Amino acid sequence: MVPPKYAYFIFQLLFFIPWIIIWKKRKDLHPQMLIIGFLSAIGSVICAYFFWTLDWWHPLTITGSRVGVEDFILGFSNGGIGACFFDYWKNIKSKPVKTNFKGLIGSSIFIFLCFVLLLGLLFWGVNVSSFWATTITLLVFISLIDFSSNKYLNNSIFSAFAMLLTVIPVYLSIYFFSPSTFPNTYFFEKLSGYTWLGIPIEEFVFYFLFGAMIGPMWDWLQNQKFQKESKRKQRIY
């Protein structure tokens, strides 16, 4: 049996199985895997420290700290695979980043900051739980992306279910090989109380919505960049 102290670090590495498969087979997806993955990793650390570990979960880390390297690694792997599931499965070639790379990075950081600020406003300002603050924030950004164009909807739906199906084997591995991890991880008294195999239902809601948001994120950011460039060229000529 895996001790709870090492369970978070060991079992979250399972997410790198699909990550490595996609990385090896689809070189054109490397940019979005790295960029979206890195932003997701930073977001994971920030959200864990300022929000989630206060009333949602408090997983033991190998360093014994409130957040650890596990949070960064988990965010990186989840963001990387979540941003590529749809393109990989449908064999859609990713748009190459040929121009205004700095603009793309800037747009990505801006969206990231807006996400964290809205989450913080709901958690600290409106005083809702971190789960509901996260859920509302994810729904806002899913709506922002999907309502901007119908073409993102299929990606959102597919990626939502793909992330959900990906996380279930990870949780099952923890359930069978480190069953004492769940009782030592979640603030059950502050959550809904609904569980499956000792896993709060909130976890599955999060991964479903996270997949729906992160799936079309890269394509959406690319199109925002190209639209701005197109408008700029029109003004010049």
Side-chain angles (χ1 to χ4, degrees), residues 181-208:
T181 292
F182 295 136
N184 289 288
T185 296
Y186 298 99
F187 292 101
F188 287 99
E189 70 280 4
K190 297 182 180 180
L191 299 175
S192 67
Y194 294 101
T195 64
W196 178 66
L197 298 178
I199 310 161
I201 197 69
E202 285 85 351
E203 290 293 295
F204 302 107
V205 172
F206 168 78
Y207 271 99
F208 185 84

Side-chain angles (χ1 to χ4, degrees), residues 50-77:
F50 290 103
F51 310 114
W52 299 334
T53 55
L54 299 180
D55 66 355
W56 187 344
W57 74 333
H58 51 100
L60 298 176
T61 62
I62 56 177
T63 58
S65 54
R66 184 165 159 186
V67 297
V69 65
E70 297 93 338
D71 297 283
F72 185 91
I73 296 173
L74 181 67
F76 181 78
S77 62

Side-chain angles (χ1 to χ4, degrees), residues 24-57:
K24 283 184 171 292
K25 292 190 175 183
R26 293 290 301 275
K27 291 184 178 181
D28 61 303
L29 299 179
H30 287 184
Q32 64 203 69
M33 292 181 73
L34 295 176
I35 294 174
I36 300 298
F38 182 75
L39 289 173
S40 179
I42 298 298
S44 177
V45 173
I46 293 175
C47 291
Y49 186 85
F50 290 103
F51 310 114
W52 299 334
T53 55
L54 299 180
D55 66 355
W56 187 344
W57 74 333

